[in-house]
Amino acid sequence: MPRLARSGYALCLIVATVAATLIATAPAASAVPARANGHRVTVMVHGFDREADISCSGAWNSAESLLNANGWGDVVTFGYYNKATNCDLRLRGTTDTRIQEVGRQFAWTVYYLYSSRDVAIDVVTHSMGGLVAKAAIEGVNRYGVGKPAPDLSGLTVNQDDLGATTWPRDWPPFLYIEDMVTFATPHQGIGSAVVTACAITHEQCSDMRPGSGFISWLGKQPLSQIGTDYTFLASRHDDTVSADSATNKRTAHHWALYGANADGGTLTHTSIRNTSTGDWQASYGGEFSDEGEGTYPAPLPRMMDGLYDQQAH
């Protein structure tokens, strides 16, 4: 069973402040930053919302509060719907904006604000947000690596309307995402009748069907140019995403599948991203983790461990 991280020191990183409009020159990276267990900038990406009006602060309040209380001082929320609210960074898309395109926009945002400045980040996601973040890495690996760093001098970036940015038409040449924790992400898609019906009217639901072109393109755990350590957290009682899909058939570097707590409580598709207390039973394992079944940390403390102290590769 993985040990819980303790806040030993704070790694202070100066990053762009959230403002209506930011104009800056993104310098070309000189070298891949060293991997370092600690408190990196953490970007949080929400999941699918049929009404496209999710609140980023509402979705991540519990997780962000816990991170802040334990030494993470730089937590940033990324939203991708035009009606999303309280997001530090927002792409004004709709439920018909394909996940790959959201991933491309996310890739350029991370590249511009962080990777091009030699700053590595960590990412926390819920549900479809994990597909968005993985798509960013996969797209860079397929279509960006090896290309010269673009000249972004004089680029105007409105952090509340990222889609208005005139990014280059392809993908960034590299990304530095060191750790990624996903809550209830459908890595292999969602096969329920609800999603099948949703796919008729919402392209993002179509992308999330098992065997879709997007799911086939995405692969398993794409690695960014710093290497990316994955932790997949899932619940046996999630009525939206299956255990196999949320753990990617237990192929992650670290995965956990939660059962009930000592009081018989269970984790839903949504509550798994908000739960920080309780004595939980879970099965757990992974490429870089011991395998077993028994008492396990609650999801949010396990998230902190996934961001703080994992095996580099």
Side-chain angles (χ1 to χ4, degrees):
M1 173 177 151
R3 62 185 176 83
L4 289 180
R6 296 291 182 264
S7 301
Y9 64 93
L11 178 61
C12 298
L13 297 171
I14 300 176
V15 299
T17 58
V18 177
T21 303
L22 175 132
I23 302 176
T25 300
S30 55
V32 177
R35 294 182 61 89
N37 294 330
H39 305 98
R40 290 203 182 277
V41 174
T42 301
V43 180
M44 313 190 92
V45 187
H46 64 73
F48 175 79
D49 187 273
R50 193 164 188 148
E51 303 303 320
D53 60 356
I54 192 168
S55 165
C56 287
S57 60
W60 292 116
N61 178 64
S62 297
E64 186 171 1
S65 295
L66 188 65
L67 288 175
N68 290 159
N70 284 273
W72 277 263
D74 220 334
V75 181
V76 178
T77 56
F78 175 88
Y80 46 84
Y81 290 134
N82 54 9
K83 294 187 288 184
T85 58
N86 302 310
C87 304
D88 298 320
L89 303 166
R90 182 170 65 151
L91 169 67
R92 296 192 182 189
T94 72
T95 56
D96 287 326
T97 307
R98 305 307 291 251
I99 300 175
Q100 186 184 87
E101 174 58 17
V102 180
R104 192 181 75 88
Q105 295 280 344
F106 183 67
W108 277 114
T109 302
V110 170
Y111 175 80
Y112 182 79
L113 292 177
Y114 305 111
S115 302
S116 67
R117 305 168 192 275
D118 300 335
V119 175
I121 68 167
D122 292 336
V123 175
V124 175
T125 73
H126 177 243
S127 196
M128 195 186 87
L131 303 182
V132 169
K134 286 172 55 180
I137 298 174
E138 183 67 23
V140 167
N141 290 347
R142 286 177 181 259
Y143 313 123
V145 170
K147 294 184 178 179
D151 180 7
L152 301 181
S153 59
L155 187 68
T156 299
V157 179
N158 183 342
Q159 296 188 13
D160 190 50
D161 188 6
L162 294 166
T165 306
T166 309
W167 301 118
R169 299 179 67 178
D170 52 6
W171 294 72
F174 54 84
L175 286 180
Y176 300 144
I177 297 177
E178 181 169 319
D179 297 301
M180 188 184 303
V181 178
T182 72
F183 292 104
T185 287
H187 297 283
Q188 298 191 345
I190 304 173
S192 70
V194 172
V195 170
T196 300
C198 175
I200 297 173
T201 54
H202 301 272
E203 296 287 6
Q204 289 176 350
C205 288
S206 179
D207 285 343
M208 287 191 285
R209 291 177 301 171
S212 71
F214 170 75
I215 293 293
S216 299
W217 172 86
L218 187 58
K220 291 186 177 180
Q221 284 84 247
L223 304 181
S224 75
Q225 281 58 59
I226 195 176
T228 304
D229 193 287
Y230 285 94
T231 300
F232 295 164
L233 303 180
S235 171
R236 297 183 189 277
H237 303 277
D238 186 332
D239 61 359
T240 302
V241 179
S242 71
D244 275 351
S245 188
T247 60
N248 218 356
K249 288 193 173 179
R250 298 161 177 78
T251 59
H253 302 136
H254 321 271
W255 58 267
L257 181 59
Y258 285 87
N261 64 15
D263 299 320
T266 58
L267 297 169
T268 67
H269 183 69
T270 299
S271 67
I272 191 171
R273 72 168 188 234
N274 299 323
T275 302
S276 60
T277 60
D279 296 322
W280 294 89
Q281 292 294 305
S283 54
Y284 49 85
E287 184 179 353
F288 302 138
S289 289
D290 295 333
E291 294 196 9
E293 186 162 354
T295 303
Y296 202 75
L300 291 186
R302 182 62 185 95
M303 170 198 70
M304 287 198 300
D305 194 30
L307 298 177
Y308 188 88
D309 187 18
Q310 298 286 260
Q311 179 170 337
H313 55 283

